[in-house]
Amino acid sequence: MNKNQKIIIYGGCAALICLVGLVVALIISNANRTNEVNEARAETENLRLANDRLLLTNEFNQLNADFNQYEDQQIYLKNDSLVQKYNEARLKVEGLLTELNQAKQSNAANRKRIKDLENEIATLKGIVKHYLEEIKRLGEENEGLRKEIEQVNQRNQQLASQVTVATTQNEQLTQTVKLAKKLNITGVSLKAYNKKGKNEKNITKARQLGVSFTVSPNNTASAGMKDFYIRIVSPEGTLLGGAGSFNLDGSNVQYTAQRQIEYANEEVSLSVYWDVNTTLTPGDYTVEVFADGYRLAAKHFTMKK
């Protein structure tokens, strides 16, 4: 083999070796690029899965907040199965979120979990929507009931006011009728008499006191026997006499003297006497006249020595 042939052979081998090396380098470079692309794709998928998981977690937390906002009104729900359905769906969502956060799974498995999570949250949304609609309807019913109760209370207050007015009017009418039946007297006087039955100006020498008055005619008053009670109070504030007592507004009242007459709705003059049984003193004497449960008159008289 001559020198040229050797050069050709050695040069061909070198070229072949370079070509093989270049191919190997290209293969390795392509493999590295493929790995980098796959890693980038995997990283992108991981980020997308993490983002989806975060969005679904936030959505789940918001649904819980919406539901718990009306938790205190659950006892008023007639359809309490909604609460049970919600709790069941919530547990499923919480389980899927736990699996996503803790389990080491392939992206395909995680994607399936994300899909399941989306479906469960969609179910949860429907339950919460129905729940909130029930709460709203319940609130509207309660508001309507509250207004109805207010209207009933207003009507009751109006009726109570009308009853009060009617009762007051009846009481006033009854009082008017009673007052109309009350006897009227005029000309009330107090005189002192000596032992001869004549007027006595010196009260210390009086042996008898007489109260005189005139009963006016009254067609509204009931006719018949009437008892007139006289009370004479001394200047010292002591009731003279003490013949007995009569009833006045449920109380027993002591009187000085009493006289009964027959009243025929016509004017009649009347005198009631009391025999002095104690020493009388000068001063102001009070005379009161009663009949039919009324005090008909009260006057003061100054008696001198």
Side-chain angles (χ1 to χ4, degrees):
M1 181 180 295
N2 56 32
K3 185 176 180 181
N4 290 332
Q5 288 177 333
K6 288 181 179 180
I7 291 172
I8 292 171
I9 291 172
Y10 288 146
C13 290
L16 180 62
I17 290 171
C18 290
L19 180 62
V20 171
L22 180 61
V23 171
V24 170
L26 288 173
I27 291 173
I28 292 174
S29 176
N30 286 335
N32 289 336
R33 271 201 301 270
T34 300
N35 288 336
E36 288 176 356
V37 170
N38 289 337
E39 288 177 358
R41 287 178 179 174
E43 183 66 23
T44 301
E45 180 65 15
N46 287 336
L47 290 174
R48 189 166 66 180
L49 287 172
N51 183 63
D52 290 344
R53 184 177 60 201
L54 180 61
L55 292 176
L56 291 172
T57 300
N58 290 338
E59 195 170 2
F60 173 64
N61 291 336
Q62 184 60 47
L63 287 172
N64 266 332
D66 292 342
F67 185 85
N68 292 332
Q69 181 180 359
Y70 299 95
E71 186 176 8
D72 58 340
Q73 299 187 37
Q74 290 180 11
I75 58 175
Y76 300 108
L77 281 175
K78 297 177 182 177
N79 185 9
D80 56 358
S81 63
L82 281 174
V83 179
Q84 182 179 354
K85 290 179 180 178
Y86 174 84
N87 289 330
E88 292 173 355
R90 178 177 55 80
L91 290 175
K92 289 182 181 180
V93 173
E94 289 176 346
L96 289 171
L97 287 173
T98 300
E99 290 181 15
L100 283 173
N101 290 327
Q102 296 179 353
K104 301 296 183 180
Q105 302 182 73
S106 65
N107 282 342
N110 285 336
R111 176 55 61 191
K112 183 179 183 305
R113 287 287 183 271
I114 290 290
K115 185 63 177 177
D116 293 340
L117 189 59
E118 288 175 346
N119 293 335
E120 289 299 331
I121 286 183
T123 300
L124 200 61
K125 277 184 180 179
I127 295 174
V128 171
K129 180 181 178 182
H130 191 188
Y131 174 83
L132 295 180
E133 288 174 351
E134 282 287 294
I135 293 296
K136 180 180 179 182
R137 181 182 60 80
L138 175 66
E140 291 173 350
E141 287 181 357
N142 287 342
E143 180 64 18
L145 182 60
R146 184 186 64 79
K147 290 182 178 179
E148 185 177 346
I149 291 175
E150 286 181 355
Q151 292 174 354
V152 171
N153 288 336
Q154 288 176 357
R155 286 198 295 269
N156 288 340
Q157 289 176 358
Q158 290 174 353
L159 289 175
S161 298
Q162 292 174 0
V163 170
T164 301
V165 171
T167 301
T168 301
Q169 291 175 343
N170 288 337
E171 289 176 351
Q172 291 174 347
L173 181 60
T174 301
Q175 186 65 23
T176 300
V177 172
K178 289 177 65 177
L179 291 175
K181 292 182 178 181
K182 177 183 174 182
L183 295 175
N184 293 318
I185 61 175
T186 60
V188 179
S189 64
L190 174 65
K191 293 181 179 181
Y193 300 93
N194 56 29
K195 61 182 180 180
K196 295 181 179 181
K198 295 183 179 182
N199 290 340
E200 178 59 61
K201 294 182 179 181
N202 187 346
I203 189 64
T204 61
K205 297 180 179 180
R207 295 295 178 265
Q208 191 178 59
L209 294 180
V211 177
S212 300
F213 52 87
T214 299
V215 183
S216 302
N218 187 348
N219 292 326
T220 307
S222 58
M225 302 304 295
K226 301 289 183 182
D227 289 310
F228 288 86
Y229 299 95
I230 307 300
R231 282 172 51 88
I232 304 175
V233 179
S234 70
E236 293 77 24
T238 303
L239 177 69
L240 300 181
S245 64
F246 63 95
N247 185 276
L248 181 67
D249 296 330
S251 300
N252 289 327
V253 179
Q254 296 291 322
Y255 63 88
T256 303
Q258 173 263 348
R259 182 176 174 183
Q260 185 180 74
I261 65 168
E262 185 172 359
Y263 180 69
N265 305 107
E266 297 176 351
E267 182 177 284
V268 58
S269 296
L270 182 64
S271 294
V272 182
Y273 298 95
W274 172 70
D275 293 332
V276 176
N277 56 14
T278 185
T279 301
L280 300 179
T281 59
D284 290 335
Y285 286 76
T286 300
V287 174
E288 295 177 303
V289 182
F290 297 83
D292 291 341
Y294 292 100
R295 186 171 72 169
L296 306 182
K299 293 192 68 174
H300 300 284
F301 298 91
T302 300
M303 309 300 287
K304 299 179 179 180
K305 183 176 178 179

